[in-house]
């Protein structure tokens, strides 16, 4: 038997975010006959620590700031000489790219977390993207992300492989079995749910303007999440007199809201590959998404699991909501539309294949 392929995944921490979840899932899933996964964290903290299998070694370099972490990261790579370094976080990817040439025996792979040109605004970080072609492989989660890297950062197209995000159906189904209808859902009202960080990129300001056109309808909007724009959004709600809009903050079990919702709305200005859209579908809930970059059109199958419309046109979007709420949908068809394309098994096999192929690249 050949020696196992050692892989070091790099993340800031294991807080519960998209990148953290994916990397935890990959590390857990990789075949132990072929791989020996380790995770290097800038700080050993976060909820996903509990989900990580015990045989995954954690390397904790205990640094606060990403840019201070570079030296300790390079030291660990030098000391451990892994076959593959898998960087799973935009900013780390950027800084690391400059130093890849120092380790000719190690293959470097970066998983991009956003449509970079929309997301990265700091000049000094943009500079590092000049070195992106040093990576042997880059994983983009959506076509939009892939084209952005090629167009705006001159990344060599042959280095990029697209792998969408997975949906963990087991996890969601477990949560759904303990889900009860939220108390805030009123009978003989339609309940619409939106979920996300309360920041500009999630576009909740537009959503409130859309709902100001639906004041006289029996529709409630439930917004889950917290963030820096909380105050502004609350003020906007009061200013627009939206009595049917509720901010629920961060919820332990958002699936409860999704399961019983009549509609899920994604109002974002841009995305990477929106997990929450996948999760809504996994709960059997129909979605209406803003036509923004980030893989929306790869997830929505028109009139099967959802529709796409332009939220900047508040009037149209509000009409669309009304139309959708008057129809009914096949919840199983919605679930299958997601499961058949984004189930964990399919996606994780893609990741494993990329790592194996990487070892055979010269």
């Amino acid at each position: 038997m050949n020696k196992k392929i050692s892989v070091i995944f790099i993340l800031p921490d294991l807080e519960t975010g998209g990148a953290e979840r994916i990397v935890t899932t990959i590390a857990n899933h990789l075949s132990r006959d072929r791989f020996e996964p380790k995770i290097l964290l800038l700080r050993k903290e976060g909820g996903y620590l509990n989900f990580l299998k015990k045989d995954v070694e954690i390397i904790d370099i205990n640094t606060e700031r990403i840019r201070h972490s570079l030296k300790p990261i390079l030291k660990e790579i030098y000391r451990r000489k892994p076959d593959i370094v898998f960087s799973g976080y935009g900013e780390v990817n950027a800084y690391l790219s400059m130093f890849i040439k120092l380790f000719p025996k190690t293959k470097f792979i970066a998983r991009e977390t956003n449509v970079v040109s929309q997301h990265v605004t700091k000049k000094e970080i943009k500079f590092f993207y000049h070195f992106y072609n040093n990576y042997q492989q880059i994983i983009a989660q959506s076509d939009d992300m892939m084209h952005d890297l090629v167009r705006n950062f001159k990344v060599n197209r042959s280095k990029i492989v697209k792998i969408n995000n997975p949906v963990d159906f087991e996890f969601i189904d477990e949560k759904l079995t303990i889900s009860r209808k939220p108390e805030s859902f009123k009978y003989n009202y339609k309940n619409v749910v939106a979920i996300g960080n309360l920041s500009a990129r999630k576009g909740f300001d537009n959503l409130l303007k859309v709902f100001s056109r639906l004041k006289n309808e029996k529709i409630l909007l439930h917004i889950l999440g917290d963030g820096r724009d909380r105050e502004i959004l609350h003020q906007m709600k009061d200013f627009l007199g939206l009595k049917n809009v509720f901010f629920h903050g961060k919820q332990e079990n958002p699936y409860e809201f999704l399961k019983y919702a009549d509609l899920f709305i994604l109002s974002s200005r841009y995305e990477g590959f929106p997990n929450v859209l996948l999760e809504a579908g996994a709960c059997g809930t129909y979605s209406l998404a803003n036509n923004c970059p980030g893989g929306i059109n790869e997830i929505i199958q028109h009139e099967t699991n959802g529709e796409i419309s332009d939220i900047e046109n508040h009037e149209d979007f509000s009409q669309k909501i009304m139309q959708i709420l008057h129809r009914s949908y096949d919840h199983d068809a919605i679930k299958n539309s997601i499961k058949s394309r984004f189930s964990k098994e399919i996606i994780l096999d893609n990741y494993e294949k990329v790592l194996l192929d990487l070892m055979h690249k010269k």
Side-chain angles (χ1 to χ4, degrees):
M1 184 70 206
N2 299 345
K3 173 178 151 321
K4 290 187 188 180
I5 300 168
S6 59
V7 188
I8 293 182
F9 295 93
I10 303 179
L11 284 174
D13 51 46
L14 285 181
E15 292 302 346
T16 44
E20 294 78 359
R21 191 180 66 199
I22 305 287
V23 169
T24 303
T25 310
I26 300 168
N28 283 345
H29 178 86
L30 284 177
S31 145
R32 297 302 194 254
D33 295 339
R34 290 170 158 171
F35 294 97
E36 192 183 317
K38 303 170 170 28
I39 295 188
L40 184 149
L41 299 175
L42 307 202
R43 298 172 295 281
K44 185 175 170 175
E45 54 194 47
Y48 284 124
L49 283 169
N50 308 323
F51 293 111
L52 196 60
K53 287 188 177 165
K54 296 286 171 275
D55 65 352
V56 180
E57 182 189 343
I58 293 176
I59 306 163
D60 175 18
I61 59 171
N62 202 356
T63 27
E64 274 309 305
R65 305 298 296 273
I66 286 178
R67 47 170 194 278
H68 298 157
S69 69
L70 218 66
K71 221 166 147 183
I73 288 174
L74 296 172
K75 234 160 108 179
E76 289 294 342
I77 296 172
Y78 178 71
R79 203 164 69 85
R80 293 168 183 267
K81 304 188 173 36
D83 297 306
I84 298 175
V85 168
F86 182 118
S87 177
Y89 189 79
E91 215 173 312
V92 181
N93 300 354
Y95 287 133
L96 203 54
S97 61
M98 261 184 90
F99 300 94
I100 289 174
K101 294 270 193 257
L102 296 175
F103 305 99
K105 289 206 165 85
T106 297
K107 311 269 195 217
F108 283 76
I109 183 168
R111 178 182 174 274
E112 208 33 78
T113 37
N114 269 299
V115 174
V116 179
S117 60
Q118 305 255 345
H119 193 69
V120 177
T121 44
K122 293 189 199 146
K123 279 276 186 294
E124 73 268 22
I125 293 182
K126 275 213 162 116
F127 161 76
F128 286 103
Y129 280 89
H130 296 313
F131 299 94
Y132 241 55
N133 282 312
N134 288 344
Y135 279 102
Q136 278 84 9
Q137 194 107 68
I138 293 157
I139 293 175
Q141 294 146 60
S142 60
D143 291 328
D144 290 326
M145 220 186 253
M146 180 157 74
H147 300 320
D148 178 60
L149 286 167
V150 175
R151 261 201 312 270
N152 298 319
F153 298 94
K154 309 284 177 280
V155 175
N156 181 340
R157 171 69 189 81
S158 65
K159 296 206 162 185
I160 307 176
V161 60
K162 183 185 87 173
I163 306 181
N164 297 137
N165 287 349
V167 188
D168 192 337
F169 272 86
E170 285 162 62
F171 176 72
I172 292 175
D173 287 340
E174 229 169 82
K175 290 281 195 210
L176 290 179
T177 45
I178 57 166
S179 292
R180 302 277 163 269
K181 191 177 209 165
E183 286 172 10
S184 53
F185 279 25
K186 282 194 202 159
Y187 289 101
N188 65 37
Y189 274 78
K190 294 287 188 185
N191 291 283
V192 175
V193 170
I195 301 177
N197 198 314
L198 303 185
S199 63
R201 67 174 280 200
K202 296 297 180 189
F204 293 129
D205 50 340
N206 276 325
L207 191 54
L208 292 179
K209 287 174 192 158
V210 166
F211 267 79
S212 71
R213 304 218 169 16
L214 299 169
K215 273 189 213 177
N216 303 324
E217 306 295 340
K218 296 192 111 179
I219 305 174
L220 306 181
L221 171 63
H222 305 271
I223 298 177
L224 278 57
D226 207 350
R228 67 174 81 147
D229 289 355
R230 191 170 149 233
E231 281 311 303
I232 298 170
L233 290 168
H234 278 267
Q235 282 168 15
M236 191 171 164
K237 170 196 148 152
D238 295 340
F239 177 73
L240 293 170
L242 302 177
K243 297 199 172 47
N244 289 344
V245 174
F246 302 94
F247 288 94
H248 295 283
K250 238 181 141 136
Q251 288 294 314
E252 186 53 39
N253 183 5
Y255 307 107
E256 204 151 59
F257 285 80
L258 287 173
K259 178 179 179 175
Y260 292 98
D262 297 293
L263 175 66
F264 171 73
I265 294 184
L266 184 86
S267 53
S268 302
R269 289 185 160 85
Y270 67 93
E271 280 287 348
F273 193 78
N275 291 316
V276 64
L277 197 53
L278 297 173
E279 292 177 328
C283 294
T285 302
Y286 199 78
S287 295
L288 175 60
N290 178 32
N291 190 9
C292 73
I296 310 295
N297 50 1
E298 294 173 53
I299 300 173
I300 299 280
Q301 290 178 325
H302 185 65
E303 289 184 356
T304 299
N305 65 356
E307 291 165 43
I308 300 174
S309 185
D310 186 358
I311 200 168
E312 303 274 336
N313 188 331
H314 304 133
E315 186 52 46
D316 268 15
F317 204 85
S318 69
Q319 288 310 309
K320 200 83 168 175
I321 292 172
M322 291 300 296
Q323 288 160 16
I324 290 173
L325 291 174
H326 280 127
R327 300 196 298 253
S328 60
Y329 297 94
D330 179 342
H331 297 299
D332 289 330
I334 295 173
K335 282 186 184 177
N336 289 334
S337 138
I338 299 297
K339 198 168 207 160
S340 61
R341 296 175 295 150
F342 307 113
S343 75
K344 210 161 68 171
E345 292 64 41
I346 299 170
I347 304 293
L348 289 171
D349 286 349
N350 287 343
Y351 269 106
E352 191 159 299
K353 187 177 177 322
V354 164
L355 296 177
L356 287 170
D357 290 349
L358 194 56
M359 289 308 293
H360 301 127
K361 279 201 173 128
K362 280 291 159 270

